[in-house]
Amino acid sequence: MRAVSFSAFGGPEVLEIIDAPVPEPGPGRIRIAVAAAGVNPYDWKLRRGLMGGEPPRRVGLEVAGHVDALGEGVTDVRVGDTVYGFAIGGGAADYTLSAHYARIPAGLDLITAAGLPVALETAFRVLDLVGIGAEGSAGQTLLIHGASGAVGQSAVQIARARGARVIGTGSVANHGRLEALGAEPVAYGEGLLGRVREMTDGRGVDAAVDAAGGGVLGDLVALTGDPARVVTIADFDGAGDHGVTASGQNSAFYGLTAVAELLDRRAYRPPAVEVHPLAEVATAQARSEAGHLGAVKLVLSLD
Ligand SMILES: NC(=O)c1ccc[n+]([C@@H]2O[C@H](COP(=O)([O-])OP(=O)(O)OC[C@H]3O[C@@H](n4cnc5c(N)ncnc54)[C@H](OP(=O)(O)O)[C@@H]3O)[C@@H](O)[C@H]2O)c1
C-alpha cells in the first residue's frame, strides 16, 4: 500500500510516497481503507522536527474511509461501515489502524469527514477545559484566537451551541465566514487587547482559547483576568510564562459522535475542503505551513 513518510527532518521535499505493508489491527483496533486523510499543522511541525521523535516517520493524523478489518473485541462497527477517526501510525496511506473512531454522521461525505476528527476532538476538549458548557456558563463571552482556522471554526460553533457569545480573531478576509458561524470577528495583531475591550464595553471576556499562537497569552489573561480560564493549543512555551494550561493530549473523542446532534439541527457547518490527491502531499503540507488558508480545510484524497 501507499504511505507518506520522511526519513530526514526538513521541508516538504523530504516527503516520500513509499510502499508499506498493510497493517494488522490488534485488540480494540480497526483497520480503515482510507478514502481521504486530513492535513494538519501537526504534520509539517512533525516533519520539521518540532514535535520530537526521530525519522523515519509517517504522517497523517485523521482519516475517513471504510472499516476493512476488526481487531479482537471490536463490536461497535462492522466491516464496510463508513467511519472517521484518528489514525495510528500515519493516516496518509491506503490503510491505517484506529482505536478512536465513529460512524460518519448523516450528511457528511467522506472527504469532508476526513478533515474533522482533529478539529472536533480539540474543540470539544478546549471548551470543556475553559468551562464553556459547564453549568451556569450560558451567556458567557468567549474569545477564540484563530477562530478562522479548522479548530477555531469548530470551537466557534460548539461554543455558540453551548450558549456563549463568541468573539473570534481571523484575517479580515475571513470575517464574513466568522459572522456566518455566529462569531463576532476581530482582527488579530497589534491592538487586539483594546479592540476586544471596546467590543465588550471594557469588561473583557469570561474565557479565552488560543488556537493560533503568536504570543497573545498575556492579552488573553488580561482580558479574562484569570489564567485558569485561558487554554492554549498552540503556544506551549508561552503557557508556562503566563500560568495558562497548554493542552495537547487527545481526550474528547466523544466529539466525533456529539457533533451529530449539532449537524441535525444545523448548528454545525464543516469548513469547505481543499482536496489534493495523495501525490500532492508536499504541496498540501506547504500550504498548511504557509498559513492563511482562507478558512478551508486541506484534505488528501486516496483515490
Ligand atoms: N495541542 C493540540 O491538541 C492541537 C490540536 C489541533 C491543532 N493544534 C494547533 O492549533 C493551531 C491551529 O490549528 P488549525 O488546524 O486550526 O490550523 P489552521 O486551520 O491553519 O488555522 C490557523 C489559524 O491561525 C490564524 N493565524 C495565522 N497566522 C496568524 C498570525 N500571525 N497571528 C494570529 N493568527 C494567525 C489563522 O487565521 P487566518 O487564516 O484568518 O489568517 C487561522 O485562524 C496549530 O498551531 C496547530 O498545530 C493543536
Coordinates of all heavy atoms in Angstrom, one line a residue, residues 3-6 15 37-38 42-44 46-47 57-62 87 89-93 281 285 300:
A3 N 2.0 4.9 1.4 CA 2.0 5.6 2.7 C 3.0 6.8 2.5 O 3.9 6.7 1.7 CB 2.5 4.7 3.8
V4 N 2.8 7.9 3.3 CA 3.6 9.0 3.2 C 4.6 9.0 4.4 O 4.2 8.9 5.5 CB 2.8 10.4 3.2 CG1 3.8 11.6 3.1 CG2 1.9 10.4 2.0
S5 N 5.9 9.2 4.1 CA 6.9 9.0 5.1 C 8.0 10.1 4.8 O 8.1 10.7 3.7 CB 7.5 7.6 5.0 OG 8.6 7.5 5.9
F6 N 8.8 10.4 5.8 CA 10.0 11.1 5.6 C 11.1 10.5 6.4 O 10.9 9.9 7.5 CB 9.9 12.6 6.0 CG 9.5 12.9 7.4 CD1 10.4 13.0 8.4 CD2 8.1 13.1 7.7 CE1 10.1 13.3 9.7 CE2 7.8 13.3 9.1 CZ 8.8 13.5 10.0
L15 N 9.3 14.7 1.9 CA 8.2 13.7 1.9 C 8.3 12.7 0.8 O 8.6 13.1 -0.4 CB 6.9 14.5 1.9 CG 6.5 15.3 3.1 CD1 5.3 16.2 2.8 CD2 6.3 14.5 4.3
A37 N -7.7 11.7 3.9 CA -6.9 12.0 5.1 C -6.8 13.5 5.3 O -6.4 14.2 4.3 CB -5.5 11.3 5.1
G38 N -7.1 14.0 6.5 CA -6.9 15.4 6.7 C -5.5 15.8 6.9 O -4.6 15.0 7.2
Y42 N 0.1 19.9 12.5 CA 1.0 18.9 13.2 C 1.9 18.2 12.2 O 3.0 17.9 12.5 CB 0.1 17.9 13.9 CG 0.9 16.9 14.7 CD1 1.2 17.1 16.0 CD2 1.3 15.7 14.1 CE1 2.0 16.1 16.7 CE2 2.0 14.7 14.8 CZ 2.3 15.0 16.1 OH 3.1 14.0 16.8
D43 N 1.3 17.9 11.0 CA 2.1 17.2 10.0 C 3.4 17.9 9.6 O 4.4 17.3 9.5 CB 1.2 16.9 8.8 CG 0.0 16.0 9.0 OD1 0.1 15.1 9.9 OD2 -1.0 16.3 8.5
W44 N 3.3 19.2 9.3 CA 4.5 19.9 8.9 C 5.4 20.2 10.2 O 6.6 20.2 10.0 CB 4.2 21.1 8.1 CG 3.6 22.3 8.8 CD1 2.2 22.6 8.7 CD2 4.2 23.3 9.6 NE1 2.0 23.8 9.4 CE2 3.1 24.2 10.0 CE3 5.4 23.5 10.1 CZ2 3.4 25.3 10.9 CZ3 5.7 24.6 11.0 CH2 4.6 25.4 11.4
L46 N 5.8 18.1 12.6 CA 6.5 16.8 12.8 C 7.6 16.7 11.8 O 8.7 16.3 12.2 CB 5.5 15.7 12.6 CG 6.0 14.3 12.8 CD1 6.1 14.0 14.3 CD2 5.0 13.2 12.2
R47 N 7.3 17.0 10.6 CA 8.3 16.9 9.5 C 9.5 17.9 9.7 O 10.7 17.6 9.4 CB 7.6 17.2 8.2 CG 8.3 16.9 6.9 CD 8.4 18.1 5.9 NE 7.1 18.7 5.6 CZ 7.0 20.0 5.6 NH1 8.0 20.8 5.9 NH2 5.8 20.5 5.3
R57 N 9.4 8.7 9.9 CA 8.1 8.9 10.5 C 7.0 8.9 9.3 O 7.3 9.3 8.2 CB 7.9 10.2 11.3 CG 8.9 10.3 12.5 CD 8.5 9.3 13.6 NE 7.2 9.6 14.2 CZ 7.0 10.4 15.3 NH1 8.1 10.9 15.9 NH2 5.9 10.6 15.8
R58 N 5.9 8.5 9.6 CA 4.7 8.6 8.7 C 3.9 9.8 9.1 O 3.9 10.2 10.3 CB 3.8 7.3 8.8 CG 4.6 6.1 8.6 CD 4.4 5.6 7.2 NE 5.0 4.2 7.1 CZ 4.2 3.1 7.3 NH1 2.9 3.2 7.5 NH2 4.8 1.9 7.2
V59 N 3.1 10.3 8.2 CA 2.3 11.5 8.5 C 0.8 11.2 8.3 O 0.4 10.2 7.7 CB 2.7 12.7 7.7 CG1 4.1 13.1 7.9 CG2 2.4 12.5 6.2
G60 N 0.0 12.0 8.9 CA -1.5 11.9 8.8 C -2.1 11.5 10.1 O -2.0 10.4 10.5
L61 N -2.9 12.4 10.7 CA -3.5 12.2 12.0 C -4.9 11.7 11.9 O -5.4 11.1 12.8 CB -3.5 13.5 12.8 CG -2.2 14.1 13.3 CD1 -2.5 15.4 14.0 CD2 -1.5 13.1 14.3
E62 N -5.6 12.0 10.8 CA -7.0 11.8 10.8 C -7.5 11.3 9.4 O -6.9 11.7 8.4 CB -7.8 13.1 11.1 CG -7.4 14.2 10.2 CD -8.0 15.6 10.6 OE1 -8.9 15.6 11.5 OE2 -7.7 16.6 9.9
A87 N -5.9 8.3 13.2 CA -5.0 7.3 12.6 C -3.9 6.9 13.6 O -3.3 7.8 14.2 CB -4.4 7.8 11.3
G89 N -0.1 5.4 13.4 CA 1.0 5.1 12.5 C 0.9 5.7 11.1 O 1.6 5.3 10.2
G90 N 0.2 6.8 11.0 CA 0.2 7.5 9.7 C -1.1 7.3 8.9 O -1.3 6.2 8.4
G91 N -1.9 8.3 8.8 CA -3.2 8.1 8.1 C -3.1 8.5 6.6 O -4.1 8.1 5.9
A92 N -2.1 9.1 6.2 CA -2.0 9.5 4.7 C -1.4 8.2 4.1 O -0.2 8.1 3.7 CB -1.0 10.6 4.5
A93 N -2.3 7.2 3.9 CA -1.9 5.9 3.4 C -3.2 5.2 3.0 O -4.3 5.6 3.3 CB -1.3 5.1 4.6
V281 N 0.9 15.6 -1.7 CA 1.0 15.8 -0.2 C 2.0 16.9 0.1 O 1.7 17.7 1.1 CB 1.4 14.4 0.5 CG1 2.7 13.9 0.1 CG2 1.3 14.6 2.0
Q285 N 1.0 20.1 2.4 CA 1.7 20.5 3.6 C 2.3 21.9 3.5 O 2.3 22.6 4.5 CB 2.8 19.5 3.9 CG 2.2 18.2 4.6 CD 3.3 17.5 5.4 OE1 4.4 18.0 5.6 NE2 3.0 16.3 5.8
L300 N -6.4 15.2 1.8 CA -5.8 14.4 0.7 C -6.7 13.3 0.3 O -7.3 12.6 1.2 CB -4.5 13.7 1.3 CG -3.4 14.7 1.7 CD1 -2.3 13.9 2.4 CD2 -2.8 15.4 0.4

